[in-house]
Amino acid sequence: MLNPRNKSEHLIYGDILTPPAEFPILENALATTYSLDISALVSCMIPLAFSDDVNSRLFQNKVSTLTALRNLSEKLIVFCDPGQIKTLKTRNQEFAILLEKIVVPVMLKQIENVYPAFHPKLWLLQFQNEKKQHYYRLVVLSRNISYDRCYDVSLVLESYTEKRGKGVTERSFKKTQALLDYFEYLKTVTELSNEQTDSINKLVSDIKKELVGFKIDNPVFDEEDWDIFPLYENTFRKDRKLFEKTVLNCKEGYKKIFVMSPFISEDTLTSIQKSLIKKSSEEKRIKLITRQDSINAIHTEKLKDVDFYVLNPNAITGESLKIEDDLDNEQDQENTLDISAEEKLHDIHAKIFLTESKDEKELFIGSTNATLSAFNRNNELLVRLKSVQNSMSVDRFFKELNTEKENMFVPADLSPIQVEDLTIQKTIESAIRTISHVKAKGNVYSSGELYTIEIKYESLPKIEGVTIYLSPISSKISKELCQDICFENLELSNISEFYLLRVEKDDVNGKIGMERLIKIPTDNIPYEERDKALINQIITNKETFTEYVTLLLSYDAITTQIELNELKQTSKAWKVINTQMPLYETLLKASVTNPQAVLNLQKDLDLIDNPEIVSNDFKQLYENFREAIEEQK
């Protein structure tokens, strides 16, 4: 979305992830995000698994959520910053432990004694139809996987479906290659399971074999002259002036430049100002939309060519939207932290650069802020689009965003303002980042029905002025962080690779603290027993079992869910005790349309061992279908 008031330009996160009708099965998916809200990730599972909007009432129940998680557990990998996994909200909390195999923290090495932020935001989705043909979607965003309600942008690129000339296909695939190189790099800075490595290798192999290219489905932009720019360690080694050579690449200089970025640094804006064509006019030729807090922290008097704007708080109608602020780990003023319970009104979070030279315009969309940290240290992603049309001029672009009627953006206050002292917040944020990057190993021991976890850190750095606590997930047991930690008398629901990290610091008004989930590799987790306990808490009778199996095997989950709801209502009216649908028909259809799903069902049947729910007759029926599918392989 560009104009917040124009509903036709609004993009719903769930719609972006929903499989196309012609390719209804998600075969494979990779996602990257800086901050990760576990509850939001659970919500993303619904459109991915069922081709339906996350807000649909059809799927707002625990059986549907469990089905989606089980369906996607071997198809989806989410890379995130290790220190930015948000603590659990009440909603979807019971499903968090099922996501531990999906979530992969990216452990970047220090650069100049600072841990870079893993900051790209993208989805690469591989869909499949009944003929085993593939279709791909690349989504590049400024939005994290969160419930954030800030002003964001996204770019959705679909793969080509029609046959094209060999030369065109190869040129298009070359743009995709930069993304594949980045995924190969991610394998070197993460701890992946063998299954995850195989999954990435297969996805990369399929894309290479099929020479997958993505189309710019907008006549404003050049269909072939565009690029994907992953910014990461390998590119930093080659060039320390990525901003100038990526965004400011016109040697003749620019007529005008538009920037939208929540976080800014003075040096970056100075570089933008220097890239302008020399002109005697007093007109300000750089239009910048940012946050007031970011403006307060720089010397605006040095930036004579910059016209500063902020989001107009009076232009937002309706109910006040409150969020937990996104944390971009930048230097200087960019550490805006969710330390207290105070929530902040929504603001700018989009990242856009639009440069206008004599003959062309280039639009950059992605995760990258207008800061030195973004272009010199962090992992980021940008997509460059090119246009020669007048509608993409800086003035026209800004006018489309900010009509006189809408007045979404207003001139910023440039008067000197006392900048809030964020020393305490920065200290806590720094501690979180440091500890989340320290290597540790956990081990689980069972003693009857209770469990013990021992955690050993390789070498804990000395962090002055804060107190750090660690807790197993969903546990009230908390211990101060040390080299060796032992948690005893834990329930099965507390056993996970997710742990709660809390950092506190004394302040004149009391303690200030921050909580994050961190993932610590942990051996001997009783996965089968734990998953079995969770599933049996949800699948409690034949009706929920029927819904679970039918959704797992269905190609058309929406129709299936409607039929299930109608069946429940009819059964209730007629007081029918057993509302099981004819699962024979479900198995029969799935054996033809989705045989692998039928084979995968075996793992779930092993976890649901209540004979009153899963009868021996059904087990025998399933076994007959399973054997028939195996024989046809």
Side-chain angles (χ1 to χ4, degrees), residues 5 55 112 123 168 232 361 397 402:
R5 299 290 195 141
N55 295 316
E112 299 172 352
W123 289 81
V168 177
Y232 58 107
K361 297 89 181 175
F397 189 80
N402 200 41

Side-chain angles (χ1 to χ4, degrees), residues 371-387:
T371 63
L372 284 178
S373 298
F375 285 93
N376 292 346
R377 186 168 62 234
N378 294 346
N379 266 224
E380 305 280 0
L381 186 77
L382 274 177
V383 172
R384 177 189 68 86
L385 306 176
K386 178 183 174 182
S387 176

Side-chain angles (χ1 to χ4, degrees), residues 119-184:
H119 203 251
K121 306 146 196 332
L122 72 84
W123 289 81
L124 179 60
L125 308 170
Q126 181 189 44
F127 302 111
Q128 183 175 283
N129 60 15
E130 294 184 26
K131 297 179 181 179
K132 307 297 182 183
Q133 297 169 324
H134 291 145
Y135 183 82
Y136 299 83
R137 181 180 298 151
L138 174 63
V139 184
V140 177
L141 311 105
S142 61
R143 168 70 55 88
N144 292 296
I145 300 178
S146 71
Y147 288 122
D148 187 283
R149 298 299 299 273
C150 281
Y151 182 98
D152 271 293
V153 292
S154 66
L155 175 66
V156 181
L157 303 176
E158 309 282 357
S159 63
Y160 284 96
T161 52
E162 70 275 9
K163 292 184 178 180
R164 297 163 297 139
K166 183 178 179 181
V168 177
T169 300
E170 290 177 346
R171 288 197 301 273
S172 180
F173 171 70
K174 282 184 178 180
K175 303 178 190 304
T176 310
Q177 183 64 54
L179 202 58
L180 302 186
D181 292 342
Y182 183 57
F183 291 142
E184 292 293 341

Side-chain angles (χ1 to χ4, degrees), residues 111-260:
I111 298 178
E112 299 172 352
N113 297 320
V114 176
Y115 286 106
F118 179 76
H119 203 251
K121 306 146 196 332
L122 72 84
W123 289 81
L124 179 60
L125 308 170
Q126 181 189 44
F127 302 111
Q128 183 175 283
N129 60 15
E130 294 184 26
K131 297 179 181 179
K132 307 297 182 183
Q133 297 169 324
H134 291 145
Y135 183 82
Y136 299 83
R137 181 180 298 151
L138 174 63
V139 184
V140 177
L141 311 105
S142 61
R143 168 70 55 88
N144 292 296
I145 300 178
S146 71
Y147 288 122
D148 187 283
R149 298 299 299 273
C150 281
Y151 182 98
D152 271 293
V153 292
S154 66
L155 175 66
V156 181
L157 303 176
E158 309 282 357
S159 63
Y160 284 96
T161 52
E162 70 275 9
K163 292 184 178 180
R164 297 163 297 139
K166 183 178 179 181
V168 177
T169 300
E170 290 177 346
R171 288 197 301 273
S172 180
F173 171 70
K174 282 184 178 180
K175 303 178 190 304
T176 310
Q177 183 64 54
L179 202 58
L180 302 186
D181 292 342
Y182 183 57
F183 291 142
E184 292 293 341
Y185 160 78
L186 288 180
K187 288 161 54 178
T188 68
V189 289
T190 53
E191 290 195 19
L192 297 168
S193 66
N194 292 334
E195 293 78 13
Q196 287 173 324
T197 301
D198 291 342
S199 179
I200 295 175
N201 290 342
K202 183 181 183 306
L203 178 59
V204 170
S205 175
D206 286 345
I207 291 174
K208 287 182 177 180
K209 182 172 61 178
E210 298 165 22
L211 292 177
V212 175
F214 295 94
K215 57 185 175 182
I216 306 299
D217 193 15
N218 190 318
V220 173
F221 300 106
D222 191 306
E223 185 178 0
E224 290 197 32
D225 193 355
W226 66 279
D227 286 293
I228 303 171
F229 291 114
L231 308 180
Y232 58 107
E233 185 180 358
N234 290 11
T235 54
F236 297 153
R237 287 174 178 170
K238 295 177 183 177
D239 199 333
R240 293 293 291 178
K241 291 193 173 182
L242 282 180
F243 182 53
E244 288 78 6
K245 293 192 176 181
T246 302
V247 177
L248 306 176
N249 56 9
C250 180
K251 294 181 181 179
E252 291 76 25
Y254 296 99
K255 294 166 59 179
K256 294 185 178 182
I257 295 176
F258 169 86
V259 178
M260 183 182 289

Side-chain angles (χ1 to χ4, degrees), residues 2 4 64 113 121 129 131 146 185 201-202 219 235 254 267 275 323 326 352 376 394 398 405 414-415 485 502 554 597:
L2 292 178
S64 295
N113 297 320
K121 306 146 196 332
N129 60 15
K131 297 179 181 179
S146 71
Y185 160 78
N201 290 342
K202 183 181 183 306
T235 54
Y254 296 99
D267 289 342
S275 71
I323 63 160
D326 174 42
I352 301 173
N376 292 346
V394 167
F398 184 76
K405 180 181 178 181
L414 302 185
S415 59
I485 307 177
R502 179 170 181 80
S554 175

Side-chain angles (χ1 to χ4, degrees), residues 618-629:
F618 177 81
K619 289 182 177 180
Q620 184 57 55
L621 175 65
Y622 170 77
E623 186 62 25
N624 294 338
F625 277 99
R626 191 188 65 78
E627 290 177 357
I629 293 172

Side-chain angles (χ1 to χ4, degrees), residues 381-579:
L381 186 77
L382 274 177
V383 172
R384 177 189 68 86
L385 306 176
K386 178 183 174 182
S387 176
V388 295
Q389 298 195 19
N390 290 332
S391 59
M392 283 303 297
S393 69
V394 167
D395 290 339
R396 289 278 297 273
F397 189 80
F398 184 76
K399 188 174 181 180
E400 285 290 322
L401 284 174
N402 200 41
T403 65
E404 292 181 3
K405 180 181 178 181
E406 304 297 351
N407 196 29
M408 289 302 302
F409 306 104
V410 294
D413 183 359
L414 302 185
S415 59
I417 297 175
Q418 182 69 35
V419 178
E420 182 183 357
D421 186 1
L422 298 177
T423 303
I424 294 179
Q425 291 93 323
K426 289 181 180 181
T427 300
I428 294 176
E429 167 70 7
S430 176
I432 287 279
R433 291 206 65 73
T434 299
I435 297 302
S436 64
H437 283 81
V438 176
K439 286 189 177 181
K441 189 73 173 179
N443 211 338
V444 177
Y445 302 92
S446 63
S447 52
E449 295 183 354
L450 297 177
Y451 296 85
T452 297
I453 298 179
E454 290 183 356
I455 296 176
K456 295 182 181 294
Y457 277 89
E458 283 191 3
S459 58
L460 280 175
K462 192 173 183 180
I463 302 177
E464 301 286 352
V466 296
T467 308
I468 305 173
Y469 300 94
L470 192 69
S471 307
I473 193 170
S474 303
S475 171
K476 294 181 180 180
I477 302 175
S478 179
K479 294 194 175 183
E480 192 167 342
L481 193 69
C482 60
Q483 200 84 30
D484 299 316
I485 307 177
C486 182
F487 298 102
E488 298 176 318
N489 299 320
L490 297 174
E491 302 286 344
L492 192 59
S493 60
N494 304 137
I495 307 302
S496 169
E497 290 191 324
F498 282 139
Y499 298 84
L500 183 65
L501 184 70
R502 179 170 181 80
V503 177
E504 294 182 353
K505 184 172 177 60
D506 291 328
D507 183 52
V508 291
N509 298 318
K511 291 185 181 296
I512 295 179
M514 172 193 279
E515 293 182 341
R516 288 289 183 266
L517 283 179
I518 61 172
K519 188 177 180 182
I520 299 176
T522 304
D523 293 334
N524 300 315
I525 292 179
Y527 289 111
E528 185 171 336
E529 292 88 343
R530 188 194 64 185
D531 295 355
K532 182 177 180 180
L534 175 59
I535 289 177
N536 282 277
Q537 287 177 9
I538 299 171
I539 310 301
T540 57
N541 51 45
K542 290 182 178 181
E543 288 69 38
T544 52
F545 173 71
T546 297
E547 181 179 359
Y548 182 59
V549 172
T550 306
L551 286 174
L552 273 178
L553 302 183
S554 175
Y555 251 91
D556 188 353
I558 298 176
T559 301
T560 298
Q561 196 67 291
I562 291 173
E563 291 174 350
L564 285 168
N565 287 345
E566 290 177 349
L567 182 64
K568 290 176 184 177
Q569 294 299 321
T570 304
S571 302
K572 183 178 180 181
W574 288 93
K575 298 182 180 180
V576 178
I577 297 176
N578 184 1
T579 61

Side-chain angles (χ1 to χ4, degrees), residues 275-311:
S275 71
L276 294 172
I277 298 172
K278 300 300 181 184
K279 209 172 182 183
S280 58
S281 170
E282 295 183 1
E283 176 193 11
K284 293 186 177 182
R285 292 175 288 158
I286 300 171
K287 292 193 180 298
L288 169 66
I289 300 176
T290 186
R291 297 182 179 183
Q292 186 65 54
D293 289 347
S294 296
I295 296 172
N296 296 343
I298 66 173
H299 298 92
T300 57
E301 67 275 6
K302 297 180 180 179
L303 302 164
K304 302 296 185 183
D305 253 314
V306 181
D307 220 353
F308 292 88
Y309 291 84
V310 294
L311 188 66

